[in-house]
Amino acid sequence: MLPLFDPKWASLKGGYRVPYDASDALSRLERGEDVWEELGDELHHQGDVDEASYAAVPHLVRIAAQQDRRDWNFYGLVSIIEVERHRQSNPPLPDWLSDDYEAALQSMQRLALLDLPQQDDPWTVQAILAALALCKGQLKLGAWLAVIDSSELDELVNERLAWDELYG
């Protein structure tokens, strides 16, 4: 895992394809600050992710593991980075990060399985399910769960399952 004090962070590109030093925001997150919006904006932009996004994942999981409970921010951000990592226009996961990244996904799976029974928030449940699908290698299912909103889900189940007609 790239240490947060490593100067390499300053040269890693984020979602805007310009250098973004995520170590500062990750350090603030670890101290309990709400930096999810900044991390989401900087690590992912219109489908683009880059090395800073990938390098942040092991830290996001490590920091989340220190919390009693996690919400949709954590699962959603890591999931969207994992989905977009596979987009052809995004750079591949660097070799120097591969083992830590894969270990982080496995740790996120364990966290998700702990959190799911305790969650009632629909956004968090959906984000956990997306994360679990991705951790199990179900990229298309995980991508779909990560991005679909409730109105799209309603439309789909009505179209495919005649939900409103057959279910109460």
Side-chain angles (χ1 to χ4, degrees), residues 68-125:
D68 292 332
R69 291 180 68 164
R70 288 138 295 271
D71 67 12
W72 67 269
N73 287 292
F74 163 64
Y75 291 109
L77 180 56
V78 175
S79 292
I80 203 67
I81 291 169
E82 173 58 10
V83 168
E84 298 304 346
R85 176 175 78 85
H86 297 277
R87 187 181 284 235
Q88 293 175 5
S89 60
N90 287 324
L93 184 65
D95 289 339
W96 60 266
L97 183 56
S98 182
D99 290 344
D100 291 331
Y101 187 94
E102 293 303 324
L105 290 184
Q106 293 309 306
S107 293
M108 181 173 71
Q109 178 180 328
R110 287 188 293 277
L111 294 173
L113 290 170
L114 288 172
D115 287 342
L116 185 58
Q118 301 173 28
Q119 281 295 337
D120 293 321
D121 173 61
W123 293 104
T124 303
V125 169

Side-chain angles (χ1 to χ4, degrees), residues 20-84:
Y20 170 63
D21 185 346
S23 67
D24 177 61
L26 291 167
S27 294
R28 288 185 283 135
L29 180 66
E30 191 164 22
R31 290 192 304 268
E33 291 184 39
D34 182 356
V35 295
W36 290 111
E37 186 173 345
E38 175 186 338
L39 288 169
D41 288 346
E42 295 292 340
L43 296 176
H44 170 258
H45 178 70
Q46 297 180 348
D48 293 338
V49 294
D50 212 309
E51 287 187 346
S53 313
Y54 306 149
V57 167
H59 286 284
L60 290 168
V61 174
R62 177 184 61 76
I63 293 165
Q66 297 170 3
Q67 308 301 315
D68 292 332
R69 291 180 68 164
R70 288 138 295 271
D71 67 12
W72 67 269
N73 287 292
F74 163 64
Y75 291 109
L77 180 56
V78 175
S79 292
I80 203 67
I81 291 169
E82 173 58 10
V83 168
E84 298 304 346

